[in-house]
Protein backbone atom coordinates (compact mmCIF):
# COMPACT_ATOMS: atom_id res chain seq x y z
CA UNK A 1 0.00 0.00 0.00
CA UNK A 2 1.17 3.55 -0.65
CA UNK A 3 1.10 6.23 2.08
CA UNK A 4 -2.00 5.70 4.28
CA UNK A 5 -4.56 8.45 3.73
CA UNK A 6 -7.27 7.29 6.11
CA UNK A 7 -7.44 5.65 9.51
CA UNK A 8 -8.77 2.53 7.76
CA UNK A 9 -5.52 2.41 5.73
CA UNK A 10 -3.55 2.56 8.99
CA UNK A 11 -5.64 -0.28 10.39
CA UNK A 12 -4.99 -2.49 7.34
CA UNK A 13 -1.24 -1.80 7.47
CA UNK A 14 -1.09 -2.51 11.20
CA UNK A 15 -2.87 -5.82 10.80
CA UNK A 16 -0.27 -6.94 8.26
CA UNK A 17 2.64 -6.25 10.61
CA UNK A 18 1.25 -7.51 13.93
CA UNK A 19 1.33 -10.81 15.73
CA UNK A 20 -2.23 -12.28 15.59
CA UNK A 21 -2.41 -12.79 19.38
CA UNK A 22 -1.42 -9.19 20.13
CA UNK A 23 -3.92 -8.09 17.47
CA UNK A 24 -6.70 -10.04 19.19
CA UNK A 25 -5.83 -8.46 22.56
CA UNK A 26 -5.48 -4.90 21.32
CA UNK A 27 -8.34 -4.74 18.86
CA UNK A 28 -10.86 -7.37 19.92
CA UNK A 29 -14.02 -6.56 21.83
CA UNK A 30 -16.29 -8.31 24.29
CA UNK A 31 -18.36 -11.35 23.27
CA UNK A 32 -19.96 -10.93 19.83
CA UNK A 33 -18.39 -7.48 19.38
CA UNK A 34 -21.77 -5.91 18.67
CA UNK A 35 -20.99 -2.76 20.69
CA UNK A 36 -17.53 -2.58 19.12
CA UNK A 37 -19.09 -2.43 15.64
CA UNK A 38 -22.05 -0.26 16.65
CA UNK A 39 -19.74 2.39 18.07
CA UNK A 40 -18.41 3.03 14.55
CA UNK A 41 -21.66 2.70 12.60
CA UNK A 42 -23.59 4.99 14.95
CA UNK A 43 -21.32 7.93 14.07
CA UNK A 44 -21.57 7.03 10.38
CA UNK A 45 -25.37 7.02 10.55
CA UNK A 46 -25.56 10.61 11.80
CA UNK A 47 -25.84 13.05 8.91
CA UNK A 48 -24.31 16.49 8.57
CA UNK A 49 -25.98 19.66 7.27
CA UNK A 50 -23.54 21.94 5.41
CA UNK A 51 -23.96 25.72 5.43
CA UNK A 52 -22.55 27.97 2.72
CA UNK A 53 -21.17 31.49 2.31
CA UNK A 54 -20.55 31.93 6.01
CA UNK A 55 -17.40 33.81 7.06
CA UNK A 56 -14.51 31.54 8.00
CA UNK A 57 -11.80 34.19 8.39
CA UNK A 58 -9.62 33.69 11.47
CA UNK A 59 -11.07 30.27 12.14
CA UNK A 60 -9.46 27.62 14.33
CA UNK A 61 -10.29 24.34 16.07
CA UNK A 62 -8.84 25.15 19.50
CA UNK A 63 -10.71 24.13 22.61
CA UNK A 64 -10.21 24.95 26.29
CA UNK A 65 -10.81 22.07 28.66
CA UNK A 66 -10.51 22.31 32.45
CA UNK A 67 -8.50 25.50 31.99
CA UNK A 68 -6.04 24.08 29.43
CA UNK A 69 -5.95 24.70 25.70
CA UNK A 70 -5.89 21.92 23.09
CA UNK A 71 -4.99 22.64 19.45
CA UNK A 72 -7.92 20.40 18.48
CA UNK A 73 -10.61 18.86 20.74
CA UNK A 74 -8.87 15.48 20.84
CA UNK A 75 -7.18 13.34 23.45
CA UNK A 76 -5.52 9.96 23.19
CA UNK A 77 -7.60 7.48 25.21
CA UNK A 78 -5.92 5.46 27.96
CA UNK A 79 -4.84 2.10 26.61
CA UNK A 80 -2.90 -0.60 28.40
CA UNK A 81 0.34 -2.28 27.33
CA UNK A 82 1.18 -0.14 24.30
CA UNK A 83 4.59 -1.80 24.00
CA UNK A 84 2.66 -4.66 22.38
CA UNK A 85 2.26 -2.38 19.37
CA UNK A 86 5.72 -0.79 19.34
CA UNK A 87 8.87 -1.07 21.51
CA UNK A 88 8.56 2.58 22.55
CA UNK A 89 4.94 2.09 23.57
CA UNK A 90 3.35 4.95 25.51
CA UNK A 91 6.46 7.13 25.12
CA UNK A 92 5.81 7.31 21.37
CA UNK A 93 2.07 7.92 21.57
CA UNK A 94 2.44 10.54 24.30
CA UNK A 95 5.15 12.34 22.34
CA UNK A 96 2.99 12.48 19.21
CA UNK A 97 0.01 13.88 21.15
CA UNK A 98 2.21 16.45 22.90
CA UNK A 99 3.86 17.66 19.68
CA UNK A 100 0.42 18.18 18.18
CA UNK A 101 -0.95 20.08 21.18
CA UNK A 102 -3.50 17.35 21.93
CA UNK A 103 -4.40 15.70 25.23
CA UNK A 104 -3.00 12.38 26.44
CA UNK A 105 -4.34 9.99 29.05
CA UNK A 106 -1.88 7.41 30.40
CA UNK A 107 -3.34 4.06 31.54
CA UNK A 108 -2.74 2.60 35.00
CA UNK A 109 -1.66 -0.45 33.02
CA UNK A 110 0.88 1.44 30.92
CA UNK A 111 3.95 -0.51 29.93
CA UNK A 112 6.41 2.33 30.64
CA UNK A 113 6.94 4.26 33.89
CA UNK A 114 4.49 7.13 34.32
CA UNK A 115 7.32 9.49 35.30
CA UNK A 116 9.16 8.88 31.98
CA UNK A 117 6.03 9.68 29.95
CA UNK A 118 5.51 12.89 31.90
CA UNK A 119 9.14 13.99 31.48
CA UNK A 120 8.96 13.47 27.73
CA UNK A 121 5.59 15.20 27.28
CA UNK A 122 6.62 18.15 29.46
CA UNK A 123 9.53 18.78 27.10
CA UNK A 124 7.06 19.86 24.39
CA UNK A 125 6.13 23.48 24.97
CA UNK A 126 2.94 23.38 22.88
CA UNK A 127 1.68 20.21 24.56
CA UNK A 128 -1.91 19.71 25.59
CA UNK A 129 -3.09 18.36 28.94
CA UNK A 130 -1.56 15.19 30.39
CA UNK A 131 -3.93 13.10 32.51
CA UNK A 132 -3.54 9.85 34.44
CA UNK A 133 -6.16 7.10 34.15
CA UNK A 134 -6.75 5.37 37.45
CA UNK A 135 -8.05 1.91 38.20
CA UNK A 136 -8.78 1.84 41.93
CA UNK A 137 -6.69 -0.92 43.46
CA UNK A 138 -8.01 -3.28 46.13
CA UNK A 139 -5.36 -1.81 48.44
CA UNK A 140 -6.08 1.89 49.13
CA UNK A 141 -2.43 2.42 50.07
CA UNK A 142 -1.39 1.37 46.59
CA UNK A 143 -4.02 3.60 44.95
CA UNK A 144 -2.84 6.52 47.07
CA UNK A 145 0.79 5.97 46.13
CA UNK A 146 -0.14 5.86 42.41
CA UNK A 147 -2.04 9.14 42.79
CA UNK A 148 0.88 10.71 44.66
CA UNK A 149 3.28 9.61 41.90
CA UNK A 150 0.98 11.03 39.20
CA UNK A 151 0.71 14.33 41.08
CA UNK A 152 4.45 14.54 41.64
CA UNK A 153 5.13 13.81 37.96
CA UNK A 154 2.86 16.68 36.87
CA UNK A 155 -0.28 14.91 35.62
CA UNK A 156 -3.07 17.47 35.59
CA UNK A 157 -6.18 15.35 36.17
CA UNK A 158 -7.23 11.83 37.12
CA UNK A 159 -9.50 9.81 34.86
CA UNK A 160 -11.19 7.27 37.10
CA UNK A 161 -12.40 4.36 34.99
CA UNK A 162 -15.59 2.99 36.50
CA UNK A 163 -16.94 0.61 33.86
CA UNK A 164 -14.52 -2.28 34.26
CA UNK A 165 -14.58 -3.63 37.85
CA UNK A 166 -14.20 -7.00 36.12
CA UNK A 167 -12.91 -7.73 32.64
CA UNK A 168 -15.36 -8.38 29.84
CA UNK A 169 -15.45 -11.74 28.15
CA UNK A 170 -13.13 -11.04 25.23
CA UNK A 171 -13.68 -14.15 23.17
CA UNK A 172 -11.42 -13.29 20.23
CA UNK A 173 -8.56 -12.77 22.67
CA UNK A 174 -9.25 -15.99 24.58
CA UNK A 175 -9.53 -17.99 21.38
CA UNK A 176 -6.12 -16.69 20.27
CA UNK A 177 -4.54 -17.94 23.51
CA UNK A 178 -2.92 -14.52 23.94
CA UNK A 179 -0.41 -14.05 26.78
CA UNK A 180 1.58 -10.91 27.48
CA UNK A 181 5.10 -11.50 26.09
CA UNK A 182 8.06 -11.28 28.46
CA UNK A 183 9.03 -7.66 29.04
CA UNK A 184 5.58 -6.15 28.48
CA UNK A 185 4.13 -5.55 31.94
CA UNK A 186 2.12 -2.97 33.85
CA UNK A 187 5.33 -1.45 35.21
CA UNK A 188 3.57 1.07 37.43
CA UNK A 189 1.89 -1.68 39.48
CA UNK A 190 3.46 -4.30 41.68
CA UNK A 191 3.04 -7.59 39.82
CA UNK A 192 -0.38 -9.18 39.91
CA UNK A 193 -2.19 -6.72 42.18
CA UNK A 194 -4.62 -5.49 39.50
CA UNK A 195 -5.75 -9.01 38.75
CA UNK A 196 -5.74 -10.56 42.23
CA UNK A 197 -8.64 -12.99 42.36
CA UNK A 198 -9.66 -16.18 44.06
CA UNK A 199 -12.20 -16.82 46.77
CA UNK A 200 -15.94 -16.44 47.18
CA UNK A 201 -18.15 -13.87 45.43
CA UNK A 202 -18.90 -12.91 41.84
CA UNK A 203 -16.26 -13.42 39.15
CA UNK A 204 -13.99 -15.57 41.29
CA UNK A 205 -13.83 -12.91 43.99
CA UNK A 206 -12.80 -10.02 41.69
CA UNK A 207 -16.14 -8.26 42.18
CA UNK A 208 -15.46 -8.09 45.94
CA UNK A 209 -13.02 -5.29 45.08
CA UNK A 210 -15.41 -3.41 42.77
CA UNK A 211 -15.20 0.32 43.60
CA UNK A 212 -18.27 2.21 44.82
CA UNK A 213 -19.31 5.88 45.10
CA UNK A 214 -17.78 5.83 48.62
CA UNK A 215 -14.41 5.20 47.02
CA UNK A 216 -14.82 8.32 44.90
CA UNK A 217 -15.50 10.33 48.08
CA UNK A 218 -12.32 8.85 49.56
CA UNK A 219 -10.31 9.54 46.38
CA UNK A 220 -11.36 13.18 46.44
CA UNK A 221 -10.13 13.40 50.03
CA UNK A 222 -6.60 12.31 49.05
CA UNK A 223 -6.00 14.47 45.97
CA UNK A 224 -6.41 18.02 44.76
CA UNK A 225 -6.45 16.90 41.13
CA UNK A 226 -9.73 17.14 39.23
CA UNK A 227 -11.32 13.72 38.74
CA UNK A 228 -13.20 12.76 35.56
CA UNK A 229 -15.29 9.59 35.55
CA UNK A 230 -14.77 7.40 32.49
CA UNK A 231 -17.36 4.83 31.52
CA UNK A 232 -20.58 6.73 32.18
CA UNK A 233 -23.46 5.44 30.04
CA UNK A 234 -26.53 6.14 32.21
CA UNK A 235 -27.92 9.63 32.92
CA UNK A 236 -28.52 8.75 36.60
CA UNK A 237 -24.84 7.85 36.96
CA UNK A 238 -23.92 11.15 35.29
CA UNK A 239 -26.02 13.02 37.88
CA UNK A 240 -24.45 10.98 40.72
CA UNK A 241 -21.00 11.76 39.31
CA UNK A 242 -21.71 15.49 39.58
CA UNK A 243 -23.19 15.10 43.08
CA UNK A 244 -19.98 13.33 44.11
CA UNK A 245 -17.81 16.14 42.79
CA UNK A 246 -16.57 14.78 39.45
CA UNK A 247 -14.93 17.46 37.32
CA UNK A 248 -16.12 15.83 34.11
CA UNK A 249 -17.65 12.67 32.69
CA UNK A 250 -16.52 10.55 29.80
CA UNK A 251 -19.27 8.75 27.92
CA UNK A 252 -17.63 5.45 27.09
CA UNK A 253 -18.42 1.75 26.81
CA UNK A 254 -14.69 0.98 26.94
CA UNK A 255 -14.61 0.66 23.16
CA UNK A 256 -16.89 -2.39 23.36
CA UNK A 257 -14.35 -4.31 25.47
CA UNK A 258 -16.41 -4.82 28.64
CA UNK A 259 -20.17 -5.46 28.32
CA UNK A 260 -21.39 -6.34 24.84
CA UNK A 261 -24.71 -5.00 23.46
CA UNK A 262 -24.39 -1.70 25.36
CA UNK A 263 -25.64 1.03 22.99
CA UNK A 264 -23.12 2.95 20.93
CA UNK A 265 -21.72 6.06 22.59
CA UNK A 266 -23.08 8.28 19.78
CA UNK A 267 -26.54 7.07 20.82
CA UNK A 268 -25.93 7.54 24.57
CA UNK A 269 -24.23 10.93 24.39
CA UNK A 270 -27.30 13.24 24.03
CA UNK A 271 -28.99 11.76 27.12
CA UNK A 272 -25.86 12.26 29.22
CA UNK A 273 -25.33 15.79 27.91
CA UNK A 274 -28.92 16.60 28.92
CA UNK A 275 -28.46 15.09 32.40
CA UNK A 276 -25.19 16.95 33.01
CA UNK A 277 -26.85 20.18 31.86
CA UNK A 278 -23.61 22.11 31.45
CA UNK A 279 -22.36 21.53 35.02
CA UNK A 280 -19.14 19.81 33.92
CA UNK A 281 -17.56 18.96 30.57
CA UNK A 282 -18.81 15.81 28.86
CA UNK A 283 -16.28 13.88 26.76
CA UNK A 284 -16.92 10.83 24.64
CA UNK A 285 -15.02 7.94 23.06
CA UNK A 286 -15.71 4.81 21.04
CA UNK A 287 -15.62 4.26 17.30
CA UNK A 288 -14.30 7.70 16.31
CA UNK A 289 -12.55 7.07 12.99
CA UNK A 290 -13.10 10.30 11.02
CA UNK A 291 -12.89 14.03 11.63
CA UNK A 292 -16.58 14.15 10.79
CA UNK A 293 -17.21 11.83 13.78
CA UNK A 294 -15.50 14.40 16.00
CA UNK A 295 -17.65 17.20 14.59
CA UNK A 296 -20.78 15.11 15.20
CA UNK A 297 -19.76 14.42 18.81
CA UNK A 298 -19.28 18.14 19.42
CA UNK A 299 -22.59 18.89 17.70
CA UNK A 300 -24.24 16.50 20.18
CA UNK A 301 -22.71 18.46 23.07
CA UNK A 302 -19.35 16.82 23.79
CA UNK A 303 -16.51 19.17 24.75
CA UNK A 304 -13.86 16.84 23.34
CA UNK A 305 -13.33 13.35 22.03
CA UNK A 306 -10.91 10.56 22.93
CA UNK A 307 -9.46 8.29 20.28
CA UNK A 308 -8.39 4.75 21.08
CA UNK A 309 -7.52 1.95 18.66
CA UNK A 310 -6.50 4.13 15.65
CA UNK A 311 -3.65 5.47 17.79
CA UNK A 312 -2.40 1.91 18.29
CA UNK A 313 -2.64 1.27 14.54
CA UNK A 314 -0.40 4.26 13.87
CA UNK A 315 1.90 3.20 16.70
CA UNK A 316 2.29 -0.30 15.28
CA UNK A 317 2.99 1.08 11.80
CA UNK A 318 5.55 3.75 12.56
CA UNK A 319 5.90 4.60 16.26
CA UNK A 320 5.50 8.26 17.17
CA UNK A 321 5.44 9.25 13.48
CA UNK A 322 2.59 6.83 12.81
CA UNK A 323 0.59 8.14 15.77
CA UNK A 324 1.18 11.71 14.62
CA UNK A 325 -0.04 10.75 11.12
CA UNK A 326 -3.23 9.26 12.54
CA UNK A 327 -3.92 12.26 14.76
CA UNK A 328 -3.10 14.66 11.90
CA UNK A 329 -5.60 12.90 9.62
CA UNK A 330 -8.41 13.27 12.17
CA UNK A 331 -7.54 16.91 12.83
CA UNK A 332 -7.36 17.73 9.11
CA UNK A 333 -10.68 16.02 8.45
CA UNK A 334 -12.26 17.89 11.38
CA UNK A 335 -11.09 21.24 9.99
CA UNK A 336 -12.46 20.36 6.53
CA UNK A 337 -15.80 19.37 8.06
CA UNK A 338 -15.93 22.60 10.09
CA UNK A 339 -15.29 24.71 7.00
CA UNK A 340 -17.88 22.86 4.92
CA UNK A 341 -20.46 23.16 7.69
CA UNK A 342 -19.77 26.89 7.91
CA UNK A 343 -18.28 26.77 11.41
CA UNK A 344 -15.43 29.21 12.01
CA UNK A 345 -14.72 27.91 15.52
CA UNK A 346 -15.93 25.03 17.65
CA UNK A 347 -18.26 27.38 19.54
CA UNK A 348 -20.31 27.54 16.33
CA UNK A 349 -20.73 23.75 16.23
CA UNK A 350 -24.11 22.61 17.54
CA UNK A 351 -27.29 20.69 16.77
CA UNK A 352 -27.83 22.81 13.63
CA UNK A 353 -24.98 20.90 11.95
CA UNK A 354 -26.85 17.60 12.30
CA UNK A 355 -29.84 16.29 10.42
CA UNK A 356 -32.46 15.62 13.15
CA UNK A 357 -33.07 11.91 13.71
CA UNK A 358 -36.32 10.78 12.12
C1 LIG B 1 -6.00 -2.26 23.80
C2 LIG B 1 -6.88 -1.38 24.64
C3 LIG B 1 -6.55 -1.18 25.96
C4 LIG B 1 -7.35 -0.37 26.76
N1 LIG B 1 -6.96 -0.13 28.06
C5 LIG B 1 -7.69 0.72 28.81
C6 LIG B 1 -7.24 1.07 30.11
O1 LIG B 1 -6.20 0.62 30.57
N2 LIG B 1 -8.01 1.94 30.83
C7 LIG B 1 -9.16 2.46 30.34
O2 LIG B 1 -9.82 3.24 31.02
N3 LIG B 1 -9.59 2.17 29.09
C8 LIG B 1 -8.88 1.32 28.32
N4 LIG B 1 -9.29 1.06 27.04
C9 LIG B 1 -10.49 1.73 26.50
C10 LIG B 1 -10.10 3.05 25.83
O3 LIG B 1 -9.67 4.00 26.77
C11 LIG B 1 -11.30 3.67 25.08
O4 LIG B 1 -12.40 3.77 25.95
C12 LIG B 1 -11.69 2.92 23.82
O5 LIG B 1 -10.59 2.29 23.21
C13 LIG B 1 -12.36 3.89 22.84
O6 LIG B 1 -12.82 3.22 21.72
P1 LIG B 1 -12.04 3.17 20.30
O7 LIG B 1 -10.90 2.23 20.49
O8 LIG B 1 -13.08 2.63 19.39
O9 LIG B 1 -11.60 4.58 19.96
C14 LIG B 1 -8.50 0.24 26.23
C15 LIG B 1 -8.82 0.04 24.88
C16 LIG B 1 -8.03 -0.75 24.08
C17 LIG B 1 -8.37 -0.91 22.64
Amino acid sequence: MTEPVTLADHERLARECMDPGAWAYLFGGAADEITLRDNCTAWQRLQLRPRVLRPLVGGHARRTLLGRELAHPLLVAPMAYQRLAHPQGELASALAAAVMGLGYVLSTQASVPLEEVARLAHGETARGPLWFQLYLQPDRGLTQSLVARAEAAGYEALVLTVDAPVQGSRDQERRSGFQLPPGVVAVNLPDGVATAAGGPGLCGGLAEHAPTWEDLVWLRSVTQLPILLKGITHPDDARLAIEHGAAGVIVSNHGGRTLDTVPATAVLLPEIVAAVDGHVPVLVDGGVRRGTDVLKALALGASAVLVGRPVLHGLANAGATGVAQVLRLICDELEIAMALCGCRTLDEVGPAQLQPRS
Side-chain angles (χ1 to χ4, degrees), residues 255-278:
R257 287 170 74 83
T258 50
L259 183 63
D260 198 20
T261 69
V262 175
T265 48
V267 172
L268 295 166
L269 178 61
E271 231 188 326
I272 308 289
V273 167
V276 168
D277 198 20

Side-chain angles (χ1 to χ4, degrees), residues 290-332:
R290 288 282 188 184
T292 42
D293 298 341
V294 179
L295 188 85
K296 290 168 185 178
L298 301 192
L300 292 176
S303 297
V305 168
L306 293 86
V307 179
R309 291 176 182 83
V311 167
L312 300 181
H313 297 144
L315 185 61
N317 291 338
T321 310
V323 176
Q325 282 171 358
V326 161
L327 296 173
R328 182 80 261 159
L329 285 171
I330 307 176
C331 293
D332 287 351

